[in-house]
Amino acid sequence: MLTANAGVFKMIQDKVYFRAKLKSKLDLLSQEDKAVKSNKINTSIEEIIIRSKKKEIGIFLNTDREPSIDLILKLKALSDRRFYVPIVRGNEIIFNEISHNTKFHFNKYGIREPLDLKPDQVKNIKTFFIPLVGFDSSLQRLGHGGGFYDKLISRVRRLGNQNIEFIGVAFDIQKISTVPSKAWDEKLTSVITETVIY
């Protein structure tokens, strides 16, 4: 029988295994494939935003392995929305609003961030679109291992607004049967891929 510590250690090992396996699969996708699949995801995101009527949207600026959802920033149908992106600060992420004038730089993780830092605006956001390495049908998310988004989701939920959505964004190949998880791992509201919304 596993002790509590042994159980946690096994879960960590399983997560490391799945991260490596999924990242290898993602590396096999061509840039053209990623672009085609990302366009389909952007169409679904546009429909969700229009249907929800929520104006304040948190998005991510993708790495090479992730779907690119930047296209939604250029859609006229969403011109009345306000978009916010994550910025790494210590062991957490904060969010700042961006505009067509925003200038970016790359952080230590190789992710674009606004150069002009403002105070955290996470309280303004009503819908978050969140990157991930893997997910399962119960909407459990496998992240990169830094815990940034688990902390974010937990922090936002503690603010007490139950209507805030946390929507994972992924390619179909990132779905696995079961994400190894414990009680502190935060579930998503839904997940969008190029073919399905879970």
Side-chain angles (χ1 to χ4, degrees):
M1 183 170 162
L2 288 174
T3 65
N5 285 343
V8 170
F9 181 70
K10 183 179 184 315
M11 181 195 71
I12 292 169
Q13 283 185 312
D14 289 345
K15 284 187 174 184
V16 169
Y17 166 78
F18 280 118
R19 280 190 192 104
K21 185 176 178 181
L22 288 165
K23 286 178 180 179
S24 293
K25 286 172 75 173
L26 288 166
D27 287 341
L28 294 175
L29 280 179
S30 69
Q31 290 301 318
E32 184 180 358
D33 276 347
K34 287 176 189 170
V36 170
K37 293 174 191 299
S38 292
N39 282 338
K40 292 177 181 177
I41 290 169
N42 275 278
T43 299
S44 294
I45 289 175
E46 179 187 10
E47 291 169 1
I48 287 171
I49 293 174
I50 290 171
R51 199 165 51 242
S52 76
K53 298 188 169 76
K54 293 178 180 175
K55 304 287 188 186
E56 296 84 11
I57 314 296
I59 65 167
F60 61 91
L61 300 175
N62 63 292
T63 65
D64 285 343
R65 289 189 177 109
E66 295 166 341
S68 173
I69 62 171
D70 303 37
L71 293 177
I72 62 171
L73 300 173
K74 299 173 183 174
L75 296 173
K76 289 183 180 177
L78 304 181
S79 60
D80 62 338
R81 269 47 172 197
R82 299 171 67 181
F83 291 96
Y84 302 77
V85 297
I87 300 167
V88 175
R89 284 296 168 265
N91 63 354
E92 289 191 331
I93 50 176
I94 66 170
F95 275 75
N96 275 188
E97 185 175 1
I98 58 170
S99 71
H100 63 280
N101 295 321
T102 302
K103 291 183 171 51
F104 297 92
H105 71 112
F106 287 92
N107 67 16
K108 64 181 179 180
Y109 299 103
I111 300 169
R112 288 167 291 160
E113 290 183 348
L115 265 174
D116 183 22
L117 181 63
K118 305 180 187 96
D120 189 12
Q121 298 169 326
V122 74
K123 289 182 181 178
N124 299 342
I125 303 170
K126 302 300 184 287
T127 302
F128 292 86
F129 290 94
I130 293 177
L132 49 85
V133 176
F135 70 99
D136 62 26
S137 55
S138 71
L139 304 179
Q140 194 68 57
R141 173 184 176 271
L142 178 66
H144 289 277
F148 292 107
Y149 280 95
D150 279 328
K151 289 173 193 164
L152 168 75
I153 296 170
S154 177
R155 181 161 55 104
V156 171
R157 284 179 172 156
R158 282 198 309 270
L159 295 174
N161 187 342
Q162 301 306 312
N163 295 322
I164 295 178
E165 296 176 290
F166 301 96
I167 302 171
V169 180
F171 298 121
D172 284 333
I173 62 170
Q174 292 173 259
K175 186 175 185 286
I176 60 177
S177 57
T178 305
V179 171
S181 61
K182 291 292 182 186
W184 58 79
D185 290 312
E186 296 283 353
K187 285 190 177 186
L188 299 164
T189 310
S190 59
V191 175
I192 297 174
T193 74
E194 68 271 25
T195 63
V196 184
I197 300 177
Y198 294 91

